[in-house]
Amino acid sequence: MTITYKDAEGIEGMRHACRLASEVLDYLTPFVKQGTTTKEIDRLANEYMVKVQGTRSATLGYQPPGYPPYPASLCTSLNHVVCHGIPNDKPLKKGDIMNIDVTVITDDGWYGDNSRMYIIGEGSIAAKRLCAITYDAMWHGIVQVKPGARLGDIGHAIQKFAEASGYSVVREFCGHGIGKKFHEEPQVLHYGRPGTMEELQPGMTFTIEPMINAGRRDIKELGDGWTIVTRDHSLSAQWEHTVLVTETGYEVLTLSAGSPPPPAFVNA
Ligand code: MF3
Ligand code: CO
Ligand code: CO
């Protein structure tokens, strides 16, 4: 295990990168509407990162072992796409739900990673509920974060809430440590048992990013080598924050003016 514990300077670097990652999503929000293509959203995001922020995309050209280089500056995962959807030329339609996942790298090398769900026009009741429950599931995980808690506490809280809501948790992808690398240890599973896995300590930074399916949890990969879809074609949703373990609890780092507020159960 090589978890990196961030010192004061690292925490400042992560706060900055994560705020900028969240601000990319803020910037994109007004463009996410009927008729816009995901390629156009990708182009706008790249331009904003490079020309306005002075950051760059961590996903453009990203190539983990066994994968082709990822071809875009963000991921756009629509409807039954679970994650890693590649932007294309199809216009968004009323009733679509879409996750946009943005990871930036600052000029001093820190990574900030976050994603949100967007509903195009008036979504169906089922689509709105899936997006809302998935958001709350992420936060049920976040509120577990404090020194002495374990990663299994986070996974368990997410799984319990999602399954009690009638949904399933994708197992093949997880949250991850993040810092001067995109994906560091530890893996942050979105299912599990309380009191198991790595103990949380101040200075750890990692993502919590549950993928929740309306139907069965099974997935498959498409022939492009990246796109992951639900095997039963049921809808899938995901939200992602990067968090810091503080001396007393957690700090959500990927926050900005346009972030949705935490659910009522947080700090209630
Ligand atoms: N941002 C994603 C995550 O949350 C990873 C995307 S990798 C890509 O970990 F290459 F698909 F963009
Ligand atoms: Co991530
Ligand atoms: Co991400």
Side-chain angles (χ1 to χ4, degrees), residues 42 57 59-64 67-76 84-87 226-227:
D42 179 59
S57 163
T59 59
L60 188 60
Y62 181 57
Q63 187 173 19
Y67 283 81
Y70 188 78
S73 297
L74 43 67
C75 300
T76 48
H84 304 165
I86 298 172
W226 277 107
T227 309

Side-chain angles (χ1 to χ4, degrees), residues 57-174:
S57 163
T59 59
L60 188 60
Y62 181 57
Q63 187 173 19
Y67 283 81
Y70 188 78
S73 297
L74 43 67
C75 300
T76 48
S77 301
L78 251 88
N79 299 326
H80 71 296
V81 178
V82 173
C83 62
H84 304 165
I86 298 172
N88 62 28
D89 285 321
K90 278 188 227 133
L92 295 169
K93 308 186 300 308
K94 272 190 207 155
D96 283 341
I97 64 169
M98 178 170 65
N99 175 276
I100 303 184
D101 192 333
V102 168
T103 311
V104 305
I105 316 172
T106 56
D107 52 8
D108 49 3
W110 295 102
Y111 286 66
D113 184 7
N114 68 162
S115 78
R116 299 182 195 160
M117 291 303 296
Y118 296 82
I119 303 179
I120 316 307
E122 183 62 28
S124 69
I125 289 168
K128 284 190 281 198
R129 179 172 183 268
L130 177 65
C131 295
I133 296 282
T134 303
Y135 185 66
D136 288 4
M138 172 185 68
W139 274 97
H140 277 287
I142 291 172
V143 299
Q144 298 299 319
V145 174
K146 60 173 185 227
R150 289 178 179 269
L151 287 172
D153 300 333
I154 299 173
H156 176 75
I158 292 169
Q159 180 181 16
K160 194 171 115 196
F161 179 73
E163 292 182 352
S165 304
Y167 297 145
S168 64
V169 178
V170 172
R171 307 282 177 106
E172 290 82 354
F173 297 91
C174 55

Side-chain angles (χ1 to χ4, degrees), residues 9 17 20 32 38 58 80-81 84 91 105 116 118 129 179 181 183 191 194 196 200 205 210 220 239 246 256:
E9 187 194 326
L20 291 171
V32 183
T38 47
H80 71 296
V81 178
H84 304 165
I105 316 172
R116 299 182 195 160
Y118 296 82
R129 179 172 183 268
K181 288 205 204 110
H183 294 106
Y191 60 93
T196 64
L200 306 186
T205 52
K220 65 181 182 207
W239 290 82
T246 66
S256 57

